[in-house]
Amino acid sequence: MGEFAIGLGMLLAVFGPLLLLPVTWAVYRWVARPALRSLRGGGASGGGDRWLAAAISVLLVAGVVAGSWFPGHLEFRRQCALHATPVIHEVTRVDGFHRSRLYPHEARRFLDDFGFAYVEAPHLHRAGVTLRYSRTPQGEFTEQEVPAPRGGYAVTETLSRPGHGVQIIGKRVHTLPGDRELARAAVVVFEGGPLAIFLGAYAMASCPDIRSAEGSRDFRTYYDLERVVLRAPAAG
């Protein structure tokens, strides 16, 4: 069932605009033509009236769909201007840090690829439990329950929805406790508005825009914000 839903979503993302054809035909058949016929006193309609009804139908459907998309696009542009550029106030070296959400395979990446001694996060399935991931001197990967985060620095992920189909997925690096901000970065996503099903992927957008060199750099900074700001101790 999950694979079917994913496949259907991909088809709608690509071919969603084709759904506008039956919608436009329905408006032509049940709205535009009857309205013109009524204006003419119920007489038979000619070829010119049919073309006029078709044009009215296209304009009505296009206007409604564009009207549903435009407010969200404006909000998306506004949020991009506010959040898409990473802000880094300070870079520091730390043994480890606390993360608001973390999977074991991500913990291995921070330990093995980036050289941190430990990384902590809330248990994924048990509220109020903190896990500390680390390596033993023999190199064994361990998960240890601890009463509270060790403190020092934390990375908090956030999700906000300002409206109109816009999402802001953010990261903050800050002290723990104290909440002094060291850095922040975000990705802003526009889902296309309430009628996005009819526009598919063509109505969606995100920033930073990875198609540009600057956007690609900003997205990479967001993705690796922990590693950029919280540097593991120098080897040796």
Side-chain angles (χ1 to χ4, degrees):
M1 185 63 182
E3 293 180 356
F4 173 78
I6 293 173
L8 180 60
M10 293 179 64
L11 285 174
L12 289 175
V14 176
F15 299 109
L18 294 178
L19 295 175
L20 291 172
L21 295 177
V23 171
T24 304
W25 181 88
V27 172
Y28 167 79
R29 177 69 176 81
W30 301 107
V31 179
R33 286 193 68 185
L36 283 178
R37 190 175 296 118
S38 177
L39 288 174
R40 295 188 182 280
S45 60
D49 283 353
R50 287 194 291 270
W51 281 107
L52 179 58
I56 292 172
S57 302
V58 170
L59 289 175
L60 280 175
V61 172
V64 170
V65 173
S68 74
W69 172 83
F70 193 65
H73 181 68
L74 288 180
E75 180 66 17
F76 168 73
R77 295 283 298 273
R78 189 177 76 87
Q79 296 297 339
C80 282
L82 292 173
H83 301 290
T85 302
V87 176
I88 299 177
H89 304 292
E90 180 182 336
V91 174
T92 187
R93 291 193 179 275
V94 298
D95 290 329
F97 60 93
H98 182 270
R99 207 167 186 262
S100 61
R101 182 188 58 81
L102 187 69
Y103 292 96
H105 73 273
E106 295 175 307
R108 292 175 185 270
R109 176 171 174 259
F110 288 121
L111 298 176
D112 299 339
D113 296 346
F114 303 143
F116 291 103
Y118 71 92
V119 60
E120 299 171 335
H123 197 292
L124 291 173
H125 307 295
R126 295 168 57 192
V129 176
T130 298
L131 288 178
R132 179 176 300 155
Y133 300 92
S134 61
R135 290 279 184 191
T136 66
Q138 293 74 33
E140 181 182 355
F141 180 75
T142 64
E143 301 177 11
Q144 177 187 5
E145 291 187 11
V146 293
R150 181 177 296 182
Y153 298 92
V155 178
T156 300
E157 294 183 312
T158 59
L159 173 64
S160 60
R161 300 176 185 271
H164 300 290
V166 176
Q167 293 185 14
I168 305 172
I169 308 162
K171 279 185 184 180
R172 289 182 66 243
V173 182
H174 56 95
T175 58
L176 183 72
D179 200 37
R180 179 174 59 86
E181 184 176 272
L182 277 70
R184 67 178 183 272
V187 170
V188 183
V189 179
F190 177 42
E191 298 172 337
L195 297 181
I197 189 174
F198 295 109
L199 296 173
Y202 309 99
M204 301 175 185
S206 66
C207 65
D209 188 347
I210 62 174
R211 294 173 297 181
S212 69
E214 180 182 5
S216 179
R217 183 181 66 248
D218 288 345
F219 179 81
R220 177 56 59 180
T221 299
Y222 157 81
Y223 185 78
D224 283 334
L225 191 64
E226 302 93 323
R227 184 172 63 90
V228 171
V229 177
L230 301 177
R231 309 280 180 86

